[in-house]
Amino acid sequence: MTVIAGLVHKGRVHLGGDSAGVSGLSIAIRRDPKVFRNGPYVVGFTTSYRMGQLLQHAFQPPHPTGDLHRFMVTTWTDALRTCLKDGGWARKDSEQEQAGTFLVGIHGRLYSVWDDYQVAEHADGYAAVGCGDDLALGALHATAALGLSPRRRLTAALAAAEHHSAGVAGPYVYASTPKRS
């Protein structure tokens, strides 16, 4: 259980996440982050710390080329599938592969990747995943026109999720895509 929230601001993608590791009714505050940069990408994961460790330390994401959405749905996802299979994380059920859920940002665009490898880009310019996602989405919507910095908006979203969800706990961790030159 977790919450990862992301938004697009001035051509960069900003993510924030909590630090809870939850199993049943047990919760542990983890030092290893759920939000990080991997090359020019920023990633925030739910589902499994093992999957997140592979995304952070084993995944070598290809450099984006051509139409970005098409690239993410094809080339990028194929590389991701290979990494998760090689790392022993990908599952197969009834001949359908499954992974986990996470947010990824690149070149000022924010995507959700779902457990069936579906890649979604959000028209609102913000997204959230995890057990606190609806709470975070409400806070991101409510703060959209207030002129707050990305960090303040993300903190409001994470704090709302932490306040109302037993599966979310700080401290919060943040990461952003690099500034483009």
Side-chain angles (χ1 to χ4, degrees):
M1 308 319 264
T2 197
V3 67
I4 305 296
L7 58 87
V8 178
H9 181 77
K10 295 184 179 179
R12 294 178 69 197
V13 177
H14 304 267
L15 298 183
D18 74 324
S19 296
V22 179
S23 178
L25 292 176
S26 297
I27 187 168
I29 304 305
R30 300 278 299 246
R31 194 175 289 192
D32 43 337
K34 297 178 195 176
V35 173
F36 50 85
R37 280 193 25 202
N38 183 339
Y41 297 89
V42 63
V43 179
F45 69 89
T46 68
T47 313
S48 163
Y49 270 93
R50 175 62 181 155
M51 182 192 72
Q53 291 164 349
L54 292 170
L55 287 169
Q56 185 174 14
H57 301 292
F59 185 44
Q60 296 179 355
H63 182 73
T65 58
D67 176 82
L68 187 56
H69 187 74
R70 180 182 177 94
F71 167 82
M72 291 296 294
V73 170
T74 57
T75 306
W76 190 89
T77 299
D78 289 344
L80 170 69
R81 289 176 54 226
T82 299
C83 173
L84 296 180
K85 282 185 218 172
D86 290 349
W89 170 247
R91 298 177 307 265
K92 201 167 196 178
D93 184 25
S94 301
E95 296 305 307
Q96 180 180 1
E97 289 181 34
Q98 295 182 342
T101 304
F102 56 95
L103 297 181
V104 61
I106 180 70
H107 294 239
R109 294 172 70 179
L110 175 62
Y111 298 93
S112 295
V113 179
W114 300 99
D115 59 355
D116 64 353
Y117 297 105
Q118 170 194 163
V119 177
E121 185 173 11
H122 301 275
D124 289 324
Y126 59 83
V129 292
C131 69
D133 62 350
D134 286 341
L135 300 159
L137 288 170
L140 289 169
H141 175 78
T143 59
L146 298 180
L148 300 174
S149 70
R151 174 73 62 103
R152 295 216 33 212
R153 286 186 68 204
L154 290 173
T155 300
L158 299 172
E162 181 177 26
H163 184 79
H164 292 286
S165 174
V168 177
Y172 308 140
V173 178
Y174 303 90
S176 302
T177 52
K179 291 181 182 177
R180 293 184 71 185
S181 38

